[in-house]
């Protein structure tokens, strides 16, 4: 309005329109500065797991998103290096996606710092976000590992066990490990393809301890062959199997047995020296040296001898019927020749 100073004053008006032109001087800011998500370790590459969105009150901002830091940690909260490229971010949308395969057994959490920049800003100091956004990613376990028997690379378990092991005796202990977590890494054991006789069992399904279920007799069974399975509790479960070979070792637990309860033989008094008059024979149900028989006479009265390997009793010195017309001898059969006295078994016969 313009007014003069006359009497009466006169005035005139005009309309002035002021147009405010935008100056890009506002910082972009994240709508949600802190984001926490959980994803499966099996998430394929290229899948978007989160989108970090920023806004800028200025007109026509050109926002670009960048990951400026990555911190990865394992299950023990220790830093894991070399995983900066596990995730990528779309420059224009802020969509965070999986870039490289994840493995929960090596890394459990990612802490990422994301910054957004306005490339059309006219005030350089205010072109980037303050504060930056923080994205926490928890990697969830997937049952992607089968149990592995120790030592790694073993193809079977072989053990020698003594016959006569009493029920409950530990025959073999095996163990398997599974790097998965929770139920996916919990292992139970099972025996498969067991031989007849129910000779072995697991002491507990949560351990790999194999114990005797009943006494094994070498004379009946020489090998116990079966399969042990280690299976986790995942869904679906994963398992590994290995053959087990238990060789039964013979123990000297059988006495020699003569083929006859007694022997009787007539002989002429004028028989030549060295003549075999009778042969005693014994057998032993054990094996190896435990089945080898050595013969001896308790007392041959100087008239008779015995060949230790064959059991042949022969004339050692001249006989005279008018002096003595009958002899009662005791022949002894001992197994395990050369063995320690407390590991030899014997029987006798007249």
């Amino acid at each position: 309005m313009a007014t003069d100073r006359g009497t009466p004053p006169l005035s005139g008006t005009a309309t002035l329109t002021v147009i405010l032109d935008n100056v890009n001087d506002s910082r972009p800011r994240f709508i949600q500065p802190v984001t926490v998500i959980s994803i499966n370790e099996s998430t394929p590459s290229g899948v978007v797991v989160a989108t970090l969105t920023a806004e800028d009150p200025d007109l026509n901002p050109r926002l670009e998103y960048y990951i400026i830091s990555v911190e990865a940690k394992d299950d023990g909260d220790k830093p894991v290096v070399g995983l900066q490229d596990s995730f990528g971010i779309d420059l224009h949308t802020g969509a965070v996606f999986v870039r490289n395969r994840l493995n929960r057994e090596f890394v459990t959490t990612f802490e990422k710092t994301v910054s957004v920049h306005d490339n059309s800003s006219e005030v350089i100091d205010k072109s980037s976000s303050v504060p930056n956004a923080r994205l926490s990613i928890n990697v969830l376990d997937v049952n992607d590992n089968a149990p592995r028997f120790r030592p790694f690379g073993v193809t079977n378990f072989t053990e020698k066990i003594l016959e006569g092991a009493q029920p409950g005796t530990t025959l073999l202990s095996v163990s398997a490990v599974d790097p998965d977590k929770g139920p996916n890494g919990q292992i139970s054991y099972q025996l498969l393809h067991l031989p007849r006789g129910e000779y072995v069992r697991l002491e507990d399904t949560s351990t790999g301890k194999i114990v005797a279920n009943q006494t094994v007799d070498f004379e009946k069974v020489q090998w116990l062959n079966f399969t042990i399975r280690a299976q986790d509790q995942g869904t679906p479960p994963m398992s590994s199997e290995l053959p087990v070979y238990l060789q039964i070792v013979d123990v000297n637990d059988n006495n020699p047995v003569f083929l006859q309860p007694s022997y009787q033989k007539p002989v002429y008094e004028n028989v030549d020296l060295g003549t075999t008059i009778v042969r005693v024979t014994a057998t032993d149900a054990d094996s190896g040296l435990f089945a080898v028989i050595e013969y001896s006479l308790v007392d041959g009265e100087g008239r008779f001898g015995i060949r230790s390997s064959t059991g042949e009793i022969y004339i050692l010195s001249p006989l005279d019927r008018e002096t003595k017309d009958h002899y009662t001898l005791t022949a002894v059969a001992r197994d395990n020749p050369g063995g320690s006295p407390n590991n030899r078994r014997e029987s006798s016969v007249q």
Side-chain angles (χ1 to χ4, degrees), residues 280-299:
V280 296
T281 303
T283 60
D284 194 310
D286 291 315
S287 64
L289 285 177
F290 298 151
V292 176
I293 306 298
E294 186 177 63
Y295 300 92
S296 63
L297 289 177
V298 174
D299 184 7

Side-chain angles (χ1 to χ4, degrees), residues 20-29 55-63 117-130:
L20 294 179
D21 204 4
N22 179 64
V23 174
N24 199 331
D25 59 352
S26 297
R27 288 186 185 276
R29 65 179 185 87
E55 60 183 5
D56 190 319
D58 292 316
L59 296 178
N60 303 316
R62 297 200 308 272
L63 301 183
H117 295 258
D118 183 0
N119 278 344
S120 65
S121 177
E122 298 177 36
V123 182
I124 300 301
D125 290 344
K126 294 186 177 182
S127 63
S128 59
S129 56
V130 176

Side-chain angles (χ1 to χ4, degrees), residues 245-267:
Y245 306 115
L246 299 182
Q247 182 181 4
I248 312 303
V249 178
D250 192 24
V251 172
N252 195 12
D253 58 349
N254 290 282
N255 288 350
V257 177
F258 282 97
L259 299 185
Q260 297 179 209
S262 64
Y263 295 82
Q264 186 171 338
K265 184 72 174 179
V267 60

Side-chain angles (χ1 to χ4, degrees), residues 68-283:
I68 60 175
S69 71
V70 178
E71 183 179 7
K73 292 184 178 181
D74 63 14
D75 202 33
D77 206 35
K78 295 180 180 179
V80 180
V81 298
L83 298 178
Q84 287 78 11
D85 293 331
S86 297
F87 295 87
I89 191 168
D90 187 285
L91 180 68
H92 303 293
T93 66
V96 179
F97 57 90
V98 177
R99 174 172 285 164
N100 295 324
R101 182 178 180 273
L102 305 175
N103 191 336
R104 170 66 170 73
E105 286 66 60
F106 293 115
V107 60
T108 58
T109 61
F110 288 91
E111 293 287 342
K112 297 182 175 293
T113 301
V114 178
S115 177
V116 60
H117 295 258
D118 183 0
N119 278 344
S120 65
S121 177
E122 298 177 36
V123 182
I124 300 301
D125 290 344
K126 294 186 177 182
S127 63
S128 59
S129 56
V130 176
N132 295 317
R134 190 175 80 237
L135 174 62
S136 298
I137 302 175
N138 298 313
V139 183
L140 303 179
D141 190 47
V142 172
N143 194 22
D144 57 351
N145 291 281
R148 296 179 64 194
F149 284 99
R150 287 179 167 175
F152 297 146
V154 64
T155 57
N156 64 76
F157 295 106
T158 303
E159 190 68 45
K160 293 182 178 180
I161 62 174
L162 295 177
E163 69 165 325
Q166 296 299 308
T169 302
T170 299
L171 305 180
L172 178 68
S173 290
V174 303
S175 65
V177 295
D178 191 321
D180 291 318
K181 304 301 178 183
N184 295 337
Q186 294 175 358
I187 298 174
S188 62
Y189 299 88
Q190 182 181 4
L191 300 184
L192 308 174
H193 316 306
L194 287 170
R196 293 181 180 179
E198 299 182 353
Y199 290 108
V200 298
R201 62 178 174 84
L202 284 170
E203 185 178 67
D204 190 288
T205 57
S206 63
T207 68
K209 183 182 288 188
I210 302 169
V211 300
N213 194 44
Q214 61 174 303
T215 303
V216 180
D217 187 353
F218 175 85
E219 285 66 52
K220 296 179 180 178
V221 179
Q222 289 76 50
W223 287 88
L224 294 174
N225 301 332
F226 51 92
T227 300
I228 187 166
R229 172 187 289 169
Q231 179 173 294
D232 61 31
Q233 308 302 309
T235 304
M238 300 187 72
S239 63
S240 298
E241 297 178 1
L242 281 182
V244 179
Y245 306 115
L246 299 182
Q247 182 181 4
I248 312 303
V249 178
D250 192 24
V251 172
N252 195 12
D253 58 349
N254 290 282
N255 288 350
V257 177
F258 282 97
L259 299 185
Q260 297 179 209
S262 64
Y263 295 82
Q264 186 171 338
K265 184 72 174 179
V267 60
Y268 289 104
E269 63 179 334
N270 63 347
V271 69
D272 294 336
L273 299 183
T275 300
T276 298
I277 58 173
V278 67
R279 179 179 180 178
V280 296
T281 303
T283 60

